[in-house]
Amino acid sequence: MTVQAPTRPKTPPARGPEPPPRSTRIMLCGFMFLAIAAAVLPPVFPAALPTMRVPMWYLLAALSGGLAVLLTARPATPRLVTLALGWLLVISTVLQAFVVGDLTAMFATWLTVPILALLAGQLRPRPRKALVAAHVVASACWVGIALTVAAISVVAMTTSDIETSRVSYDLMATFDITLLPWANFATILTGLALGITTSWGLIRYYWVAIKLTIAVGILFVAFGFLHDALERAAAEAEHLAAIGGTTAQLGSAADVACWGFGGSTLSLVAAVLLSLYKPGGKTRRGRRLLQGGRRSQQIQAVIADTRTIADDTVALTLQAAGDRALPRWQPGAHIDLVLPSGRVRQYSLYGDPADTGTYRVAVLREPDGRGGSTEIHDLPKGTNLDIRGPRNNFPLVEAATYLFIAGGIGITPFLPMIHRLHEAGADWRLIYRGRSLPTMAFADALTRQYPDRITLLPADTHPRPDLDDLLRNTLEGVAVYCCGPEELLTAMESAMAQCPHGTLHTERFAASNRAAETPNTPFEAELRRSGVVVRVPENRTLLSVIQDIDPTVDLSCEDGVCGSCATRVLAGIPEHRDDVLQADERDRVDIIYPCVSRARGARIVLDV
């Protein structure tokens, strides 16, 4: 048999982890029709720059429509291009709203910001932290301004001096038309972006849905009647001050303004408390989404082809039973194979991510392993098995340059990555080490296709690479990807001290010794949705105890490698012992992999 080269993508792939979902194109088309309607119909609100209103709406229609066409014709458009166009659409909408002065565009930002968030996809830790910081700052500003206005409204209502009351209402009106709208919209829009680009979602958890309802409700109250009531109260106070009246003569508008701003402020404080304590579990929709990612996603498949691609390595081509379409995947993803024996094993996908007809995996025979690889090598064409996934704990991130270091069969997840980067014109390099050249799968195909970017280092003819020197000479902003045996990964983690200007991304075949480095101590786990508190003794895993209560919690490897058992943490601090989280994610307190990880403390609260 000859080595089968990885399939080249049919369309120029994007440089990024995820192509935009179909909902993005739908929202873009909706915004385009909104922009055309706003340009053709008479304005609902008078604009500050009326001559610019219609041309700007046509520009927004062209931008949104053009981006929708681009994503439809070329779904794998480079992410940098789509994000640049998305930012241009958002900035143009903001200019239309706050410079041209069109309130319709102000509300239209509720469409453009989610569009940009969908184009960005799930954020990595650094940009996610930056977005969280922006949301926190915007929220703090909104609460602070609201508290100030509420305090002024109390002064206006309680003073006996009509002149003080007049000045107070003037101040409130000034705040209401200058600072409050900016703080309100900044908070809502950063919150929308945060929900879409993270696992929180917008209506997946009760506390997030309630926060969103509070924010939108305050906005509609403000535009619906509170602003008008404030203007009437200010006009009344000014009139009474001019004729020598008293505060007792102020009408009901003053009461509405006071209670309106006071109620809004209390609502904002409640939203802050919801963010801090995150009470409650998933909504009904959240539970449906959760169940959709569990065992119900198991797919019946058949081995369509099997061939030897290197010494002790076979490649399987898998098709869904009945020739149904398989879920799309992205470079770095893996699937679970549920073998005829009942064993479950994880293997990285290679080939064309856009191909929904087949999955391809490469399997190295490990005679001293647990039997899964040996079983797969003996499976003939036509064998039925089940597939779970795909899942991606090893995504391709945006970076200035890339260094891939593969050990043995660890080359597999890198194949679609380097094809995508090469088509996008990115700077990358691959160091590939194996026992010997005949055992190094895909080596011939890779060197033929990328002769200047591949360095092969078979152990029988080449010494070990000097990782310290290799990393020391990398460029600023490098993303270092490493996949292979534990010895290589451990050495890479130590050598990264020579590369403070880069980030390390690893994927393991098997669990490291991290789970055994810390002694087990008993703790309590509150399963919030199930309404029970369980004791996790030192001789049991958190996952096994959870499954006594909720057997639907997924499991696969049970070694902290595959990530299938990911569970949301509501309170408490997890002690991460898994090999799924990357080095810069190990301080996360919102997720735990309970097959190996435990609580750091006496109690942890989980969304189970």
Side-chain angles (χ1 to χ4, degrees):
M1 297 286 182
T2 59
V3 174
Q4 181 184 7
T7 306
R8 293 174 66 88
K10 297 175 182 177
T11 57
R15 180 181 168 183
E18 295 282 349
R22 181 171 174 267
S23 57
T24 312
R25 300 194 296 273
I26 295 174
M27 293 178 68
L28 282 166
C29 291
F31 184 81
M32 178 187 68
F33 288 123
L34 170 66
I36 293 173
V40 173
L41 298 175
V44 179
F45 307 100
L49 300 175
T51 58
M52 293 295 297
R53 190 186 69 83
V54 172
M56 281 294 294
W57 275 121
Y58 279 125
L59 172 64
L60 292 172
L63 280 173
S64 55
L67 187 51
V69 170
L70 179 64
L71 294 177
T72 302
R74 298 187 58 164
T77 299
R79 186 165 174 262
L80 188 61
V81 174
T82 58
L83 282 179
L85 292 174
W87 273 109
L88 182 59
L89 179 63
V90 170
I91 293 170
S92 300
T93 307
V94 171
L95 290 175
Q96 176 78 338
F98 293 99
V99 176
V100 177
D102 194 324
L103 289 183
T104 302
M106 183 185 294
F107 286 99
T109 54
W110 287 6
L111 270 176
T112 56
V113 168
I115 286 170
L116 179 62
L118 289 170
L119 290 171
Q122 293 292 291
L123 295 180
R124 298 292 295 168
R126 287 181 181 176
R128 182 177 66 237
K129 289 177 181 178
L131 184 55
V132 169
H135 182 61
V136 170
V137 169
S139 302
C141 291
W142 190 10
V143 173
I145 296 168
L147 283 171
T148 302
V149 175
I152 295 174
S153 72
V154 172
V155 172
M157 284 291 293
T158 57
T159 183
S160 59
D161 181 9
I162 189 63
E163 184 64 25
T164 301
S165 182
R166 181 193 67 79
V167 172
S168 298
Y169 284 117
D170 283 344
L171 280 175
M172 291 169 63
T174 301
F175 275 103
D176 189 52
I177 62 175
T178 55
L179 298 179
L180 271 175
W182 286 99
N184 184 306
F185 272 83
T187 304
I188 292 178
L189 295 179
T190 54
L192 287 174
L194 191 61
I196 294 171
T197 57
T198 66
S199 60
W200 296 125
L202 297 176
I203 54 175
R204 189 173 301 171
Y205 297 96
Y206 284 113
W207 69 274
V208 179
I210 294 171
K211 273 188 60 179
L212 180 62
T213 302
I214 288 173
V216 175
I218 290 174
L219 189 62
F220 275 97
V221 166
F223 279 92
F225 64 87
L226 189 54
H227 179 73
D228 291 341
L230 178 59
E231 286 189 334
R232 289 198 304 273
E236 288 177 2
E238 184 175 2
H239 174 70
L240 290 171
I243 65 174
T246 66
T247 56
Q249 295 174 282
L250 288 171
S252 60
D255 294 323
V256 171
C258 181
W259 289 107
F261 282 107
S264 298
T265 303
L266 291 176
S267 299
L268 288 177
V269 172
V272 171
L273 293 176
L274 285 170
S275 295
L276 291 174
Y277 294 102
K278 302 178 178 60
K282 286 186 172 67
T283 60
R284 287 187 178 181
R285 174 175 172 79
R287 292 193 187 104
R288 287 198 299 270
L289 292 171
L290 178 69
Q291 294 298 329
R294 287 183 173 167
R295 286 192 176 119
S296 58
Q297 287 295 95
Q298 191 158 295
I299 302 168
Q300 294 181 340
V302 61
I303 298 178
D305 185 45
T306 177
R307 63 183 65 191
T308 300
I309 58 173
D311 289 355
D312 292 327
T313 302
V314 297
L316 303 184
T317 301
L318 308 166
Q319 291 180 339
D323 290 330
R324 296 193 306 272
L326 292 164
R328 288 178 176 267
W329 57 280
Q330 290 301 308
H334 70 270
I335 57 173
D336 296 347
L337 294 186
V338 184
L339 305 179
S341 66
R343 296 185 179 100
V344 181
R345 298 292 183 266
Q346 295 76 42
Y347 296 101
S348 298
L349 291 167
Y350 76 93
D352 182 0
D355 180 8
T356 59
T358 60
Y359 284 160
R360 294 180 179 177
V361 298
V363 182
L364 171 69
R365 184 194 295 271
E366 299 181 84
D368 298 327
R370 295 178 295 168
S373 64
T374 300
E375 181 180 354
I376 290 176
H377 274 248
D378 294 334
L379 295 178
K381 177 180 177 180
T383 300
N384 294 314
L385 42 72
D386 290 335
I387 295 172
R388 297 178 192 162
R391 288 186 296 271
N392 198 342
N393 304 319
F394 197 45
L396 183 63
V397 301
E398 288 285 331
T401 181
Y402 299 81
L403 173 63
F404 298 98
I405 301 177
I409 199 61
I411 186 63
T412 310
F414 296 153
L415 300 177
M417 290 185 182
I418 62 180
H419 277 284
R420 173 162 291 186
L421 294 175
H422 187 74
E423 292 289 340
D427 180 58
W428 62 272
R429 180 185 175 193
L430 170 66
I431 308 297
Y432 183 10
R433 184 168 177 81
R435 294 196 310 271
S436 63
L437 203 55
T439 66
M440 298 170 67
F442 308 107
D444 289 343
L446 287 168
T447 51
R448 285 197 305 270
Q449 195 165 359
Y450 313 110
D452 299 329
R453 295 181 182 264
I454 308 292
T455 301
L456 300 182
L457 299 175
D460 59 346
T461 58
H462 291 73
R464 291 181 179 179
D466 186 340
L467 298 180
D468 290 344
D469 184 64
L470 192 64
L471 294 173
R472 191 182 298 115
N473 294 319
T474 53
L475 299 176
E476 183 74 25
V478 63
V480 182
Y481 280 77
C482 185
C483 183
E486 181 62 28
E487 181 183 6
L488 173 62
L489 295 170
T490 302
M492 278 299 304
E493 289 171 343
S494 299
M496 278 302 291
Q498 305 299 325
C499 187
H501 53 278
T503 56
L504 177 63
H505 307 265
T506 60
E507 184 167 62
R508 284 175 159 83
F509 302 148
S512 66
N513 294 325
R514 185 179 289 115
E517 290 173 352
T518 306
N520 293 343
T521 56
F523 61 94
E524 286 184 347
E526 178 185 340
L527 311 184
R528 179 64 59 83
R529 279 195 285 113
S530 302
V532 299
V533 177
V534 295
R535 185 74 173 168
V536 183
E538 60 185 22
N539 61 344
R540 290 191 67 184
T541 66
L542 175 57
L543 179 60
S544 68
V545 175
I546 292 174
Q547 288 200 305
D548 291 342
I549 307 300
D550 183 1
T552 66
V553 176
D554 201 2
L555 77 161
S556 182
C557 70
E558 298 185 78
D559 288 326
V561 174
C562 71
S564 63
C565 64
T567 303
R568 179 173 170 244
V569 177
L570 301 177
I573 301 176
E575 183 180 274
H576 296 299
R577 303 183 181 186
D578 62 89
D579 293 300
V580 178
L581 295 176
Q582 300 297 327
D584 59 349
E585 299 177 305
R586 305 205 70 80
D587 59 347
R588 289 180 60 178
V589 295
D590 62 326
I591 194 171
I592 190 172
Y593 297 93
C595 62
V596 292
S597 298
R598 302 178 72 83
R600 191 185 300 277
R603 188 182 181 91
I604 195 167
V605 182
L606 306 176
D607 185 22
V608 177

